[in-house]
Amino acid sequence: PRWVYDNLRAAPGRTSWAAFGYSAGGWCANMAAMLHPSVYATTISLGGYWRPAFDHPFIPFKPGSASWQHYDLVDLVHRKPPAVAAWTLCGRQDRLAYPTTQRVTREAKQPFSITTTILPKGGHNTDLWIPHIPDALAWLGKTSSGFTPLG
């Protein structure tokens, strides 16, 4: 953030920062915002999950370990909800994102807020997510003052 403020015409403050991603990038976006709420006010996740999900052979830490707990965003929302607004979308058949999206939505409490869209059909793929990027950006413009459209 410091480099951006020093070199680009960026408005200062956390409401001018949002994290955005899909699939694993959605988890990373959620993670960045929720673990660093002093930097990010908002996160957008398309098909992102809310708990670590690793494929063999890349398993940097084991389920249940201290590192796992640190990155378990469902647990974070339950224990110590960050002051972050989240927008998330997934399909009901998405085995990666749907279960944890349901859990984090149920656990949500202030100062954390979540806007959840569950599509009745569709799994874990970009063809499902891409058409909803305008919805995500419209939400961002309404939710975070740093992204409010001019004019």
Side-chain angles (χ1 to χ4, degrees):
R2 180 79 275 140
W3 184 92
V4 170
Y5 292 138
D6 290 346
N7 294 283
L8 303 172
R9 293 180 305 164
R14 66 188 288 274
T15 60
S16 295
W17 287 85
F20 189 126
Y22 64 89
S23 189
W27 176 57
C28 290
N30 295 336
M31 178 179 47
M34 294 175 71
L35 294 180
H36 303 283
S38 64
V39 175
Y40 299 93
T42 49
T43 180
I44 295 172
S45 171
L46 303 168
Y49 26 95
W50 298 85
R51 287 195 162 122
F54 304 116
D55 293 326
H56 186 73
F58 179 74
I59 302 175
F61 44 80
K62 295 184 192 260
S65 68
S67 292
W68 182 279
Q69 291 301 321
H70 179 72
Y71 295 107
D72 182 339
L73 304 177
V74 174
D75 187 56
L76 177 63
V77 167
H78 176 75
R79 283 184 299 101
K80 189 178 178 189
V84 169
W87 187 94
T88 190
L89 172 137
C90 68
R92 196 170 298 279
Q93 287 82 34
D94 186 334
R95 292 185 192 147
L96 284 171
Y98 180 69
T100 58
T101 297
Q102 290 294 94
R103 293 286 306 275
V104 80
T105 300
R106 280 194 305 268
E107 293 288 338
K109 59 188 171 226
Q110 291 296 322
F112 176 73
S113 67
I114 189 166
T115 300
T116 304
T117 301
I118 305 294
L119 300 174
K121 295 183 180 179
H124 196 78
N125 65 72
T126 56
D127 290 341
L128 184 76
W129 309 321
I130 301 254
H132 298 280
I133 291 174
D135 299 332
L137 296 176
W139 171 86
L140 182 61
K142 292 178 198 166
T143 304
S144 203
S145 61
F147 294 92
T148 301
L150 299 175

